[in-house]
Amino acid sequence: MSPTTFLIQCPITHPRKITCVFLLLTVLSILLFLSHTQQSTTALLAKVPPWTKMLHAEQPMAAQEILTVGIFPNSEEAGIFTPAAFSLFITLDQTLQSFARVTSTSPQILANDYLAPGNIDLATPGDLGAVTLTPFLNATLDVPQLTEATVQQALQSPLLNNIFISQDEKAIALRLPCLISGKTQEIQQQLQHAAINQDPQAVQLLFSGLSFARENFFREMEKNTLPLMCASLALIVAVSLLTVFASGYSCIFILPVACSTSLTLALQTLVQLPAGLFSFTPPLIAACTSLLFSIWLIATLNSRLPEKEKHPSFIAREMKILLPQLWLTSLASAGALLCLCFSSLATVRFLGFFGAISILLAFISSVMAVPATFILLPPSWRSVNKNQNKISKGLAVLAKHTTQSALPGKLAYICANHCSLTVAAHILFLVLGMTGIMLLTINATPVQWYAKKHWIQTANQKIIQHFAGVDQLNLVFSANVVATRSINEARQWLSTTLKNTFDDAPSFYITLEKDIEQTVDHLHSTTEFSSRLTSLWRRKMNALHVEDDVQINHWSIALDTLAQLDNEKQTFLKPAVLAYLADLQQFLEQLPEIGKTLSIVDIVKSMHQALFEGASEYKRIPTTIGSVDQTLAAFKEKRPTQHLARFITADATKTTLTLYLKNSSARSIEAIVQATASYFKTTPPPVPLDYFWTGSAYGFKIWNEKKVLSLILWSTVGLITGCLIFSFARRSLTCGLALLAVIGYPLICAYGICGLIGMRLATVTMAAITILFPVSFCLTSIMLHSAGKKVKEYGCCQDNLQEQLTATYFPVIWSVAAVISGATPALFSAYYSLQTTAFMTISFMFMQGITFFTLLPLLFNLLESRLFKKELPALDEAKEQAAVTADWKDSMDETAAHLSLPADTASVSELKDVFAPQKNTDTT
């Protein structure tokens, strides 16, 4: 038995079994999705976010996702710096410490240099060469004056001001760099639990960050996927009851739609891909495709089957005509989506592969479940029962006047006979659409996936209002190094330079020369020689009394001269380079997108001030490399090594400038990047420097852009591929070009509408184009198939065009109304990404309907000879029927015996007519 015969025979011969099988598959798939979706989400979130792969490999710390936790008082009058709040800080710090260490049961989740009250040391003024470090959480919490002094001291620190403590002193923010993906939800739960146990009324914890927003989105979609789809299905049923005269048969599509959608969700769950952004698209493709296929089948069977009859032979005959059309539509749609598998991004490849599978599942479920259900339902459901109540009768009358109205046919007739006016109107729409596309921006971060009133958006906005920002953008500078001297060359150069420098202090030079002779023995590395000599001379300088200015100055000059040995490795210890970075920071902080900048310059200035007993005039960059190195050495004491490593490398050849963003959208980041490039052109650095951008916000922007470009490229290739498949199957290049115009024109107009109204599209909205492929292919196939039949009946498109189109548009109107109603629940969801996708789908279906009612009749009228085949003479048909061989008659007898149909449903001659290899009645 061939696959075609199997797909036609099984639903007719075993309708109850087929229906039960699809019902069972639907239930099992839903149970599988519900039982494994949490595990799939956990497995997906445990992987590194895809945008971190776009970051520079030389800065692994910049790839760490930062979780920002804002701590706000429930009562603004009480403030955040109270004894009760400080007690809560200690409790929260104990919880964070458990995440920052490795245990036998769990790995380290947070980096050791996280920013929290228990992890901060304040640099207080001290003697020259020494800095006193005071913990923020000290033992003076019960004394308001000392607490206020501690807070003011923290506000004066550039490392804490507006980053850890808000400028208005009403909130603090924890900055938690995560080492492992998928753990932000766990951190949130533990911190909230600790806060509630301590004092549930004391403070309010708000969480924000790119990874946190992404993880929360997937967790919420675990619970909201099935309710959203059920709401869409219920609305489709309600709209179908209003648009279909035979309201009983309007619900037949429920089984194939539910089955194909649930099967797609279950398959994605098995490969650990939960319902989220792109993984939410294949189930929608399956739902839309099976819905349109089912509508096509139901409309055809319901209109051609005699009332109160359901002959299996008639259904088989119609299915034999429709099956090639459905298969061609599925093949073209799946071929178009498979082109996405050639993308370099795994996300786009997944979308193309599972999208193609979902279309095949929709095809199988529709061609098998619809005929089986059609046979099982009683024929009385196809008409309005006289015993129906007034509401049911009223709905039936409304549906009849809506879908069987002559208005669509009149509109199509007018457009077809007013070619110039119709073409001019569509050209105007096309120009507006292309203008809107030029204004279109893909400008949605994970935080912006949510609606404005969602608690994620509210928390993010409140943290930004009180602090410099949530997300960070890192600008990494690197020096162009030169070849390193050998140890003998370094010794000779240092001795000569020191002799010339201390010509007026020969005794001091003799001391230096002895140290050089003693240090250089048994060493083979210039780096080791410089490091040991630096440590020795620094110890000698620190041993001096603070009032011995002459000797301190001599030792500082000697250290500065020694530092010149490693100039190629200490570029960012040079005062001139640090001054250039300070000027760049001042320029960037004037941009509205940036709340604050932080670099090694801020550390050097604050530590230099602390070294000189806190005098305000010393809050500046030191004048020598040795002094800069000394300030950094003081900063390293009692601090995690990662803290300084985030700003400068050990050899001082790379440094990072951190920008706290008020707005992390792609447009804001692009403005910052362009402003920085312009500054470098107008104000060149004192030494050759290279720079690159990094950070999770920048990585997401780059990943987003690549994904959008890949979607546009391979979707275009897929659209052309699908049209070529249509052209090849119908042996008409004109058909493929017409299909390309019918699909491309509504797409341009729909995206143009989004651009004209200023809508910010999410990446998933761009992926909506994959949903629209099968919708467009299916609707166009319906039109071609129906118009072909009418052309065969009436003779040509010009004759009785209005009557032809009036009868043709019923399945199209039903399909457009069903898809629009199915997308409507997403408009009212809590996710901006789904709202924009729904709006995009509705706009496309609206423009698709206008295209079918106005532009397609014009194409039918102009391209009739190329779109529709001419009928063969009756004599040729008779000869073709007479050519059937005796072998075929025998095979048909066996097939009829195998079907075992009831005696009153079909005869052997009817079955021969059904499966005979007669000329295809479809003239398209």
Side-chain angles (χ1 to χ4, degrees):
M1 182 183 298
S2 65
T4 302
T5 305
F6 175 80
L7 292 175
I8 296 176
Q9 286 184 5
C10 282
I12 297 175
T13 56
H14 308 288
R16 295 184 183 277
K17 292 182 179 179
I18 293 297
T19 304
C20 291
V21 167
F22 279 95
L23 284 173
L24 182 62
L25 286 175
T26 302
V27 174
L28 292 178
S29 299
I30 293 175
L31 293 177
L32 179 64
F33 171 76
L34 293 176
S35 61
H36 289 77
T37 182
Q38 186 174 1
Q39 300 176 5
S40 301
T41 304
T42 303
L44 176 68
L45 296 179
K47 300 177 182 178
V48 177
W51 55 80
T52 58
K53 300 177 183 179
M54 304 295 170
L55 300 178
H56 207 284
E58 297 180 9
Q59 285 290 320
M61 286 188 176
Q64 295 174 357
E65 299 291 332
I66 307 296
L67 173 63
T68 303
V69 184
I71 304 179
F72 298 86
N74 283 326
S75 174
E76 294 187 1
E77 298 178 355
I80 192 66
F81 299 108
T82 62
F86 271 90
S87 177
L88 176 62
F89 296 161
I90 296 175
T91 303
L92 295 179
D93 185 67
Q94 293 174 352
T95 304
L96 294 175
Q97 288 178 5
S98 64
F99 288 113
R101 60 171 177 261
V102 181
T103 63
S104 57
T105 58
S106 63
Q108 183 178 354
I109 297 176
L110 295 180
N112 292 324
D113 62 327
Y114 62 88
L115 197 63
N119 205 33
I120 294 175
D121 290 329
L122 300 176
T124 57
D127 293 335
L128 183 63
V131 176
T132 303
L133 301 177
T134 304
F136 182 82
L137 292 179
N138 50 49
T140 60
L141 305 180
D142 295 332
V143 183
Q145 294 81 0
L146 295 177
T147 302
E148 179 63 23
T150 302
V151 173
Q152 291 301 321
Q153 185 181 352
L155 284 173
Q156 295 176 4
S157 172
L159 302 179
L160 305 178
N161 178 22
N162 217 17
I163 297 176
F164 170 68
I165 299 180
S166 63
Q167 197 67 37
D168 56 7
E169 303 180 24
K170 294 182 179 180
I172 68 171
L174 312 181
R175 309 281 178 167
L176 311 177
C178 301
L179 301 177
I180 300 178
S181 301
K183 295 295 184 180
T184 59
Q185 295 279 315
E186 181 180 347
I187 296 173
Q188 178 200 20
Q189 295 172 2
Q190 293 292 337
L191 291 179
Q192 287 180 336
H193 180 72
I196 291 174
N197 290 341
Q198 181 73 21
D199 187 355
Q201 302 299 327
V203 297
Q204 178 186 16
L205 301 185
L206 301 179
F207 298 81
S208 186
L210 294 182
S211 285
F212 176 76
R214 172 178 176 261
E215 292 176 22
N216 185 80
F217 180 84
F218 279 98
R219 292 299 183 188
E220 289 189 5
M221 290 306 296
E222 291 179 6
K223 307 173 183 178
N224 298 334
T225 297
L226 286 181
L228 275 175
M229 291 189 173
C230 291
S232 297
L233 188 59
L235 196 56
I236 291 173
V237 172
V239 171
S240 298
L241 292 175
L242 295 175
T243 56
V244 182
F245 177 65
S247 57
Y249 275 86
S250 66
C251 301
I252 295 178
F253 62 81
I254 295 179
L255 179 58
V257 170
C259 185
S260 60
T261 306
S262 58
L263 280 174
T264 306
L265 283 172
L267 288 177
Q268 291 185 168
T269 304
L270 290 177
V271 296
Q272 296 184 342
L273 289 171
L277 283 177
F278 273 30
S279 50
F280 199 78
T281 305
L284 293 180
I285 295 175
C288 291
T289 307
S290 57
L291 173 64
L292 296 185
F293 283 175
S294 301
I295 288 176
W296 190 356
L297 290 171
I298 295 169
T300 302
L301 296 177
N302 196 44
S303 62
R304 294 176 63 84
L305 186 65
E307 190 172 334
K308 296 184 179 181
E309 296 184 14
K310 50 178 182 179
H311 292 289
S313 59
F314 170 81
I315 296 176
R317 182 182 295 107
E318 290 298 320
M319 286 300 298
K320 186 181 179 184
I321 298 173
L322 292 175
L323 192 62
Q325 306 299 322
L326 294 173
W327 173 243
L328 174 59
T329 304
S330 302
L331 185 62
S333 303
L337 292 180
L338 284 176
C339 291
L340 299 180
C341 295
F342 293 96
S343 172
S344 59
L345 297 179
T347 309
V348 180
R349 294 198 300 269
F350 147 78
L351 178 62
F353 179 74
F354 274 92
I357 290 180
S358 65
I359 288 176
L360 296 179
L361 292 175
F363 168 75
I364 295 174
S365 60
S366 300
V367 300
M368 297 194 73
V370 170
T373 312
F374 201 92
I375 291 176
L376 292 178
L377 291 179
S380 58
W381 284 30
R382 300 180 58 243
S383 60
V384 180
N385 193 342
K386 295 181 180 181
N387 297 325
Q388 284 181 315
N389 55 42
K390 295 182 179 180
I391 296 178
S392 299
K393 289 183 178 180
L395 292 177
V397 172
L398 176 63
K400 182 175 182 179
H401 286 285
T402 301
T403 57
Q404 299 182 8
S405 172
L407 181 61
K410 292 180 179 179
L411 177 62
Y413 180 79
I414 293 173
C415 293
N417 287 275
H418 294 79
C419 180
S420 300
L421 183 61
T422 303
V423 172
H426 284 289
I427 290 177
L428 177 61
F429 287 148
L430 186 62
V431 171
L432 291 175
M434 296 181 69
T435 304
I437 288 178
M438 295 175 65
L439 301 174
L440 209 57
T441 57
I442 309 300
N443 201 29
T445 64
V447 175
Q448 295 167 335
W449 291 348
Y450 301 87
K452 289 184 178 180
K453 294 184 179 180
H454 195 277
W455 67 269
I456 289 281
Q457 285 271 32
T458 304
N460 186 72
Q461 291 300 322
K462 188 171 183 178
I463 294 175
I464 290 177
Q465 289 174 2
H466 287 79
F467 296 94
V470 174
D471 300 316
Q472 300 176 14
L473 187 63
N474 298 317
L475 179 58
V476 181
F477 295 92
S478 60
N480 293 325
V481 299
V482 298
T484 306
R485 296 183 177 93
S486 66
I487 190 170
N488 291 329
E489 293 173 345
R491 172 187 174 182
Q492 183 179 0
W493 178 88
L494 183 60
S495 298
T496 304
T497 305
L498 290 175
K499 184 177 181 179
N500 296 331
T501 303
F502 297 104
D503 188 43
D504 56 346
S507 60
F508 185 74
Y509 169 71
I510 293 173
T511 302
L512 297 177
E513 188 64 28
K514 289 181 179 179
D515 291 341
I516 293 173
E517 292 292 338
Q518 294 174 1
T519 305
V520 78
D521 293 339
H522 310 295
L523 294 180
H524 304 283
S525 170
T526 305
T527 303
E528 188 177 3
F529 166 69
S530 176
S531 177
R532 289 193 181 186
L533 201 57
T534 300
S535 300
L536 175 61
W537 289 354
R538 186 171 289 147
R539 287 197 304 270
K540 290 185 176 183
M541 185 180 70
N542 293 338
L544 296 174
H545 194 272
V546 69
E547 297 179 355
D548 194 354
D549 295 337
V550 176
Q551 289 295 317
I552 290 175
N553 185 51
H554 284 347
W555 283 111
S556 297
I557 295 174
L559 285 170
D560 189 34
T561 305
L562 178 60
Q564 295 180 27
L565 274 176
D566 296 329
N567 270 350
E568 69 278 6
K569 296 184 178 180
Q570 295 182 341
T571 302
F572 296 103
L573 297 184
K574 295 180 179 180
V577 177
L578 295 180
Y580 179 82
L581 294 180
D583 293 339
L584 176 61
Q585 285 184 251
Q586 186 178 3
F587 168 77
L588 291 175
E589 288 180 350
Q590 297 175 359
L591 300 178
E593 296 86 2
I594 298 177
K596 184 175 181 177
T597 63
L598 198 62
S599 73
I600 191 66
V601 177
D602 300 295
I603 297 176
V604 170
K605 286 182 178 181
S606 60
M607 296 306 297
H608 188 254
Q609 181 185 18
L611 286 172
F612 286 89
E613 300 181 355
S616 58
E617 64 268 19
Y618 286 98
K619 191 176 183 180
R620 55 177 173 79
I621 300 172
T623 57
T624 63
I625 294 180
S627 301
V628 173
D629 194 23
Q630 185 181 4
T631 60
L632 296 182
F635 182 80
K636 291 179 183 178
E637 297 179 4
K638 298 182 181 180
R639 283 179 171 83
T641 56
Q642 297 96 330
H643 202 142
L644 190 60
R646 291 188 184 275
F647 297 96
I648 192 170
T649 56
D651 58 0
T653 59
K654 291 184 178 66
T655 187
T656 301
L657 174 60
T658 302
L659 285 64
Y660 289 86
L661 305 178
K662 288 288 187 181
N663 188 346
S664 60
S665 64
R667 183 180 298 176
S668 300
I669 294 177
E670 187 63 30
I672 295 172
V673 171
Q674 292 180 359
T676 304
S678 176
Y679 182 86
F680 264 84
K681 289 181 179 180
T682 57
T683 311
V687 296
L689 296 179
D690 297 326
Y691 71 93
F692 60 87
W693 295 93
T694 185
S696 58
Y698 185 76
F700 181 82
K701 171 184 174 294
I702 298 300
W703 176 72
N704 217 17
E705 290 176 351
K706 288 189 175 182
K707 188 166 57 172
V708 170
L709 291 176
S710 182
L711 272 174
I712 294 175
L713 172 62
W714 293 110
S715 296
T716 304
V717 174
L719 177 59
I720 296 174
T721 302
C723 294
L724 288 176
I725 293 175
F726 254 88
S727 299
F728 180 78
R730 296 182 179 273
R731 299 178 182 179
S732 172
L733 181 60
T734 304
C735 180
L737 294 176
L739 180 62
L740 185 63
V742 169
I743 298 177
Y745 169 69
L747 274 177
I748 294 175
C749 293
Y751 280 106
I753 291 173
C754 297
L756 290 175
I757 65 175
M759 180 174 288
R760 184 186 66 250
L761 296 188
T763 314
V764 69
T765 311
M766 298 301 298
I769 191 173
T770 58
I771 304 175
L772 306 179
F773 278 168
V775 172
S776 299
F777 287 142
C778 185
L779 290 178
T780 307
S781 295
I782 292 175
M783 291 295 296
L784 288 173
H785 179 70
S786 301
K789 285 187 176 181
K790 295 303 178 183
V791 167
K792 177 185 176 181
E793 180 178 353
Y794 289 98
C796 66
C797 282
Q798 286 80 4
D799 297 337
N800 302 314
L801 180 63
Q802 180 176 335
E803 291 79 1
Q804 299 175 39
L805 296 174
T806 300
T808 300
Y809 278 124
F810 165 64
V812 175
I813 295 174
W814 185 7
S815 300
V816 171
V819 174
I820 290 178
S821 61
T824 301
L827 283 176
F828 304 95
S829 67
Y831 311 105
Y832 182 78
S833 56
L834 296 186
Q835 291 175 1
T836 55
T837 304
F839 181 83
M840 171 64 204
T841 304
I842 293 173
S843 300
F844 174 81
M845 295 306 300
F846 177 76
M847 292 305 303
Q848 188 86 83
I850 292 179
T851 304
F852 283 155
F853 294 152
T854 60
L855 183 61
L856 203 59
L858 180 62
L859 294 177
F860 285 169
N861 201 1
L862 296 177
L863 305 175
E864 175 192 354
S865 60
R866 297 187 179 184
L867 291 178
F868 307 106
K869 296 178 182 179
K870 298 298 182 181
E871 289 299 306
L872 294 176
L875 181 60
D876 293 339
E877 293 183 1
K879 291 181 178 180
E880 184 179 348
Q881 291 293 335
V884 178
T885 61
D887 294 337
W888 173 82
K889 294 181 180 179
D890 295 338
S891 64
M892 281 294 96
D893 293 336
E894 295 176 0
T895 303
H898 173 73
L899 290 177
S900 302
L901 297 175
D904 60 342
T905 59
S907 63
V908 174
S909 59
E910 287 178 323
L911 294 173
K912 289 182 180 180
D913 292 337
V914 171
F915 296 104
Q918 57 188 350
K919 177 186 175 181
N920 193 349
T921 58
D922 178 20
T923 61
T924 55

